[in-house]
Amino acid sequence: MLDQIRTVLSHTTHPGNVGATARALKVMGLSQLALVNPKDYPSAEATRRASRATDILANATIHDNLDSAIADCQLVVGTSARTRTLPSKLISPRELAEEIKTTPDRVPVAILFGTENSGLTNEELHKCHYHVCIPTNPEYSSLNLGSAVQLIAYEMRLALSEEAVLPEQRVVDSEQHITHEQLSGLLQHFDKVMQLTGYKIPKHAKYLDLRLERLLCKAEVTTSEYNILRGFLSSVEKYSERLSSGVLEKIEQSQK
Ligand code: SAH
């Protein structure tokens, strides 16, 4: 579905913004770019700002009027921070994604972006089915062109990409979560050590076991974390043994 989306830049004045747009699109998996009367283009600055997305620039189509850039599109939307006197229906980027989902496969959809200084003209906006506004600070609402493209492309990816949103995390064996039996063993071990050190006085410890169990459940303890906790508890037991045998020796010596 992302291949259906055509980003149309109208009358860009800074070629760097064309490069930034190519990069923004490629990062989000969009590919179609159409340029209407771009100033100073092609340009080394555009290529530089595109970074490794120069294929998007190479495949971009260049038009001398907007009608030719959107001729085959069934859905055309215009982006603008400003509301107009004769408004088209105003929607958010998320609502736009829902709208795109209802268009037939492979039919191009155009998203128009205006020139840097003055944005889309009223004439350009009237060619659009919807006016898409990125919610921003009402007192300072206009984004840089490349940033506006990036945000729209991101929203399209979130809503329309068939791939998982995040790459799957590789779970290594040691990162498996512990079993219920291991959790019970761990709780018993805590109980033993807490009594040994005098931390737990059974008649005052009404909620201690429950809270500890809840904590360890929330923590979703992994095998390696379990091994750390068990190892630590065993070391406390051993330390306590050494301590008490030392103390006993001293008591014995003092009694001689
Ligand atoms: N000074 C212009 C803004 C141009 S910014 C004006 O007042 O309209 C360049 C382009 O970025 C705009 O034409 C629009 O396509 C896009 N853009 C910037 N901020 C936006 C926003 N908040 N919502 C939607 N599109 C925005």
Side-chain angles (χ1 to χ4, degrees):
M1 262 197 160
L2 294 178
D3 327 328
Q4 274 175 263
I5 300 174
R6 182 176 308 156
T7 299
V8 182
L9 302 187
S10 177
H11 297 83
T12 33
T13 52
H14 298 292
N17 280 331
V18 178
T21 293
R23 183 174 185 173
L25 296 180
K26 184 155 177 141
V27 162
M28 294 300 157
L30 279 74
S31 52
Q32 287 195 53
L33 176 61
L35 306 171
V36 180
N37 279 327
K39 195 173 166 204
D40 298 333
Y41 186 83
S43 103
E45 178 63 2
T47 310
R48 193 182 67 75
R49 292 284 301 278
S51 189
R52 284 189 293 114
T54 44
D55 54 323
I56 305 271
L57 293 183
N59 294 326
T61 54
I62 301 186
H63 307 259
D64 56 14
N65 63 75
L66 179 57
D67 290 330
S68 112
I70 60 177
D72 54 343
C73 297
Q74 276 188 10
L75 176 66
V76 179
V77 302
T79 58
S80 175
R82 286 182 295 128
T83 49
R84 310 293 169 113
T85 26
L86 190 61
S88 11
K89 192 173 174 222
L90 191 65
I91 59 172
S92 69
R94 286 178 195 180
E95 288 168 320
L96 168 62
E98 291 310 307
E99 202 54 47
I100 292 177
K101 279 185 190 165
T102 67
T103 60
D105 262 3
R106 281 187 268 280
V107 172
V109 167
I111 307 180
L112 317 187
F113 293 83
T115 185
E116 290 91 335
N117 295 331
S118 47
L120 289 172
T121 62
N122 287 335
E123 196 193 352
E124 286 172 323
L125 259 185
H126 289 152
K127 296 181 194 290
C128 298
H129 298 100
Y130 295 101
H131 167 177
V132 180
C133 182
I134 301 166
T136 46
N137 174 2
E139 278 146 40
Y140 192 66
S141 60
S142 178
L143 288 142
N144 154 270
L145 175 57
S147 307
V149 172
Q150 185 71 83
L151 287 178
I152 295 282
Y154 172 66
E155 286 289 339
M156 298 305 112
R157 181 170 187 84
L158 276 195
L160 305 173
S161 171
E162 275 119 43
E163 289 165 45
V165 171
L166 290 177
E168 253 180 55
Q169 290 255 350
R170 205 167 57 85
V171 179
V172 288
D173 279 348
S174 62
E175 290 302 317
Q176 295 292 343
H177 291 146
I178 58 171
T179 62
H180 176 71
E181 197 179 4
Q182 286 171 311
L183 178 65
S184 304
L186 182 57
L187 285 166
Q188 278 167 19
H189 204 164
F190 261 108
D191 184 67
K192 190 172 161 206
V193 172
M194 287 192 302
Q195 294 205 42
L196 183 71
T197 61
Y199 180 76
K200 181 176 175 180
I201 302 163
K203 66 175 178 173
H204 295 144
K206 199 168 162 207
Y207 290 112
L208 182 59
D209 296 340
L210 289 175
R211 290 211 160 101
L212 191 59
E213 185 169 14
R214 192 175 61 174
L215 170 70
L216 293 172
C217 280
K218 269 194 293 192
E220 298 184 0
V221 178
T222 62
T223 314
S224 49
E225 292 160 347
Y226 167 84
N227 289 335
I228 293 171
L229 291 173
R230 286 288 248 185
F232 169 69
L233 292 170
S234 299
S235 77
V236 174
E237 282 179 297
K238 283 193 196 115
Y239 182 74
S240 163
E241 270 166 31
R242 283 206 307 276
L243 198 66
S244 51
S245 62
V247 169
L248 287 178
E249 268 166 33
K250 274 188 200 148
I251 295 170
E252 278 162 17
Q253 275 168 8
S254 69
Q255 284 173 347
K256 275 182 194 163

